[in-house]
């Protein structure tokens, strides 16, 4: 017997499909959809973010990502614009109609972010921040739960269980690579875990090929692999000028490469019978 | 500077395509092809193997696998039929025309196997058996080199370099999952490594989704992921009656599931412009 | 150049020795001392905790541990007595004079715990909870920072750097095992990391052999190894009746085995010129 | 039930102690002894090896190591002197009386080495070279079996089982670090495995702190940790001039540091009641 209950497939009559509505769009995540979330690692300044958001809208993206409060290994690295960046993201949503996702690290930020953010992301370092999971179990907004760097599949689903048990049924899982001995890639995407979690759970599963590989050249093949293995979408990092990004430049697609990836995913979504076009 | 030379993409003007000829067929492995190798983990008896071989031929497979000398963790496990099984495999080739691949563990077996076997497999436990690699560098038959359980991509390509340096240019790489902390799957398929090795090297890359996952339910999604990420084919375990297999039953597809996988791979090969149909 | 600065040995003229004072005792952690912290995984009830505390005092322990807010993989497990348990720990300190250490998971608990707790422990799951590290950088009490399950030595020292940069110089590092592929032990104690961190940093380093091994039979040999490798002490789990513990029973020493361990560590401390006797 | 039988402690009435005799000395490995094996990574030339051997004899070492056939990750690295080096080792034994240990990679070398070598080492890359294990099961000389880079404790003991099942009872286990995500050290010494294997098996267990850490500064503290955890001895790399070693210079002790390590181990052996002085 698996120790997770509410997250288990056998305890729900059908797979969870999450609907996210903004004045300008309706987005679905789950069975039958291929949802694309894109944006820069961190919101760096207003003009670049707005410009990129418009581009992403035109390229067919469903949701905008952007880091405001960045978890950084070193205290000397750029840690995000914080609240100031939030206004920029909200403006991007007003213009594009696309819903917003950002990472939450501190339970005390929930009040600031709650009315503005459509989906809350729990980063891999916080997958077992049970304090945060407890709070996110009480809200009525979707939570994207990234797998921890060294979390087993069971621990990942039990972290989801914390949120579900609190009463929030809108949990999206996101595989973003695990830590192994391999130094050529930033992490090792566990593609078998994607397929297995689709068997074990009714929850939607996305893949983040940017963090998983750490190399932009690998983002498109790995994103394709994710969809072929059954993932319900991908979340990728895009930047106008990756060489000048304040963080994660090496793993960010530029606009041209992003468009190429979208074309590839569209072909794949077609043979997999997943809807990738926005309503 | 990477330490491998002969295996490096920049040192060869085009990607290596390996041709394998038998009286009954011509098989290619490399760029533009989606090659399917299938068969049981171990050759267990004549009738079952011949019957399975005929089925696999009809299902569109390009090459037959079959274990004769099995590396087993415990000395108390079934270790293969050895030389007796070789005659069975040869008979299967005579009937189907399909080339044969089997694992070689001992340099002293090379004489016995040489005339009968079309491709020699080096298993993951022997990836750094340099004695064996040196010998395989001297022969004129293709070698499929599986990645070691905890081998880095660099070590894997350097193991290939041993064979190439000996003068044998027919090296096929095969990713089969690495060892990580995750207990739900037997190994963790490193899908990013597949994409990366296609960038770094001119050598063909196959994927073994059976050993990578250890669970038959995951074989098809992971095989699809492999092709989507750029692999040149897959090698899978198939058994008439997986529940009664002497080894690796849990990861073997039965015939029905194998046919389903083939259909999925055919759709994928089409959009990827890879030839999957036999000549 | 290593990316940590305040934690680096070369940036401080001598190794950090941390002094912890209570009305009843003065405890030192660092160079020249072999500090023993002991107690149950979780505070379960008043009578057992007080009785165990008295025993540990008589056995020569320097500090009492006790879990109040327990990070648990599953939301269905016992999560600690919380604030109720705090009164029990305070009573134990009043009786024994020994300082108290407990884990803090939530920045919002700092107010509740601050006046009662002598050392704050950051658990391995929270090693990169930067929100928590930032807050602990502002206080004037020692922080014991456990290494994350899959944290590199560099990431661990950078997590310490967060606290140091905030102004709190009283950081104690604690190696507690990393996650590897080995299933026979709960984690793999990285003994080389203990020796290396003593070279790289001026901060004290303790070892937790209970979590590192998950098996009480291994606690004593691994605790001895830690001191032999240069650790400044150990933190171990002790329980009156490990078979009936609400958590971590298998890795808890009973009283008899704890006394045996103390004897072994005393011999070792003598040849290593580390003071293990309490003032 | 554990799958190993002949290696299991409960299947033997007392712990195995292995005796190695040469004309000049009698060496024991097992319970109650602290056996020191030392020498350079590879035999590089006669004069240096003989000089080092004399030094090691005077320093109290029990056995001489020296690589003849070196397993090297890259085919372009120095692969050892082979048969030519053997004569040098034999001369060193004639002079010092100390028994010899060297790695065997190829079953075909057994004839060449058999009469000259006292203990055969199976390297970590060959721990599951079952062909080699089978052959070593038939001989009447001790075999030192290194744990594979990513071998579980169970797989390691099952590899020993291959040799034992063949009829050779003289198996010595050697932990030399496993592969993990940590890049600051070459490998991660699994100190818990040392303690656990002493519980599970009657076989002697040595530790190789040189390969485990890859840094000479860590060799002494990790060697001490090994003895404190219950290991029956250590095998270390020593070189007259580590900066000019053809292989593994960074992890080799120079003569002065080796003498310092010996002093530390002598103190430790005394309190652990292990005989470290040569007869």
């Amino acid at each position: 017997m698996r120790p997770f209950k509410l997250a288990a497939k056998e305890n729900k009559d059908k797979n969870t499909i999450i609907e996210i509505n903004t004045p300008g769009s309706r987005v679905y995540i789950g069975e039958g959809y291929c949802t694309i979330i894109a944006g820069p690692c961190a919101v760096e300044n207003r003009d670049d973010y707005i410009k990129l958001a418009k581009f992403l809208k035109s390229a067919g993206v469903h949701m905008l990502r952007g880091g405001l409060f960045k978890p950084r290994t070193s205290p000397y690295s750029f840690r995000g614009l914080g609240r100031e960046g939030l206004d920029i993201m909200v403006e991007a949503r007003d213009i594009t109609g696309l819903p917003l996702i950002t990472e939450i690290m501190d339970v005390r930020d929930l009040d600031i972010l709650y009315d503005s953010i459509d989906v809350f992301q729990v980063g891999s370092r916080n997958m077992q921040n049970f304090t945060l999971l407890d709070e996110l179990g009480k809200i009525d907004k979707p939570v994207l739960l990234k797998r921890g760097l060294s979390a087993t599949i069971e621990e990942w689903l039990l972290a989801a269980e914390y949120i579900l048990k609190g009463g929030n049924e809108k949990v999206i899982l996101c595989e973003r690579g695990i830590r192994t001995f391999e130094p050529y890639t930033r992490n090792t995407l566990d593609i078998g875990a994607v397929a297995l979690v689709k068997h074990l759970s009714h929850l939607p599963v996305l893949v983040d090929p940017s963090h998983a590989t750490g190399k932009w050249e690998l983002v498109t093949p790995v994103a394709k692999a994710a969809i072929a293995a059954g993932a319900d979408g991908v979340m990728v990092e895009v930047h106008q000028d990756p060489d000048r990004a304040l963080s994660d430049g090496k793993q960010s697609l530029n606009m041209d490469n992003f468009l190429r990836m979208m074309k590839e995913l569209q072909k794949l979504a077609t043979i997999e019978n997943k809807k990738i076009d926005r309503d």
Side-chain angles (χ1 to χ4, degrees), chain A residues 12-275:
Chain A
K12 196 134 185 280
D13 53 352
K14 61 181 170 47
N15 285 333
T16 293
I17 294 175
I18 290 168
E19 186 181 328
I20 301 149
N21 290 308
T22 67
S25 63
R26 177 172 301 172
V27 170
Y28 296 94
I29 303 183
E31 202 75 7
Y33 296 90
C34 181
T35 308
I36 313 295
I37 305 174
C41 175
V43 177
E44 297 177 356
N45 65 67
R46 183 200 166 277
D47 288 359
D48 284 346
Y49 193 79
I50 299 295
K51 192 176 148 196
L52 186 64
K54 289 178 184 169
F55 163 75
L56 293 171
K57 169 78 184 270
S58 72
V61 154
H62 300 89
M63 201 182 310
L64 296 174
R65 61 158 286 157
L68 301 175
F69 301 96
K70 299 296 302 171
R72 299 305 300 271
T73 300
S74 164
Y76 305 110
S77 303
F78 171 62
R79 296 176 69 182
L81 293 185
R83 199 186 284 232
E84 184 194 337
L86 180 59
D87 296 336
I88 299 172
M89 288 189 77
V90 170
E91 186 182 345
R93 180 178 54 196
D94 289 344
I95 294 171
T96 62
L98 298 179
L100 303 175
I101 177 170
T102 200
E103 177 167 354
I104 182 161
M105 292 166 60
D106 188 340
V107 287
R108 297 170 303 186
D109 291 338
L110 205 48
D111 287 343
I112 307 166
L113 298 171
Y114 197 78
D115 291 329
S116 309
I117 292 299
D118 301 289
V119 179
F120 289 99
Q121 174 184 324
V122 176
S124 55
R125 292 177 186 81
N126 281 305
M127 192 203 84
Q128 291 191 314
N129 181 335
F130 301 117
T131 299
L132 186 58
L133 300 181
D134 278 336
E135 292 298 323
L136 295 172
K138 298 175 195 162
I139 67 171
D140 188 33
K141 295 220 174 175
V143 176
L144 181 139
L145 179 67
K146 286 199 160 186
R147 183 181 181 186
L149 253 81
S150 64
T152 62
I153 293 170
E154 187 169 299
E155 290 169 340
W156 187 21
L157 289 171
L158 282 168
E161 193 84 8
Y162 266 85
I163 303 170
L164 297 168
K165 182 164 177 281
N168 185 351
E169 298 190 352
K170 298 174 184 163
V171 178
I172 304 154
L173 299 166
C174 182
E175 159 67 30
R176 44 79 74 210
I178 56 173
R179 181 161 277 182
T180 69
F181 57 82
E182 175 57 56
Y184 272 15
T185 47
R186 181 170 177 180
N187 295 291
T188 298
L189 185 82
D190 187 353
I191 195 76
V194 174
L196 184 53
V197 170
K198 292 297 295 179
H199 272 268
L200 296 175
S201 178
H202 55 83
L203 296 171
V205 181
L206 301 187
V207 164
D208 173 348
S210 308
H211 284 87
T213 62
K215 284 182 164 24
W216 73 263
E217 315 92 275
L218 306 182
V219 167
T220 296
V222 167
K224 290 168 65 182
I227 302 304
D232 301 305
V234 293
M235 175 155 77
V236 298
E237 290 187 343
V238 185
H239 197 278
Q240 283 103 323
D241 188 355
D243 293 341
R244 290 165 60 187
L246 295 180
S247 55
D248 285 355
K250 281 188 186 160
Q251 70 194 36
S252 295
L253 292 177
N254 64 21
M255 291 173 169
D256 279 356
N257 287 320
F258 182 75
L259 290 174
R260 277 188 207 104
M261 183 195 79
M262 285 300 285
K263 264 194 198 158
E264 295 285 311
L265 295 185
Q266 271 145 358
K267 284 192 283 182
L268 209 46
T270 305
I271 65 168
E272 295 291 329
N273 291 317
K274 289 170 188 271
K275 181 168 166 16

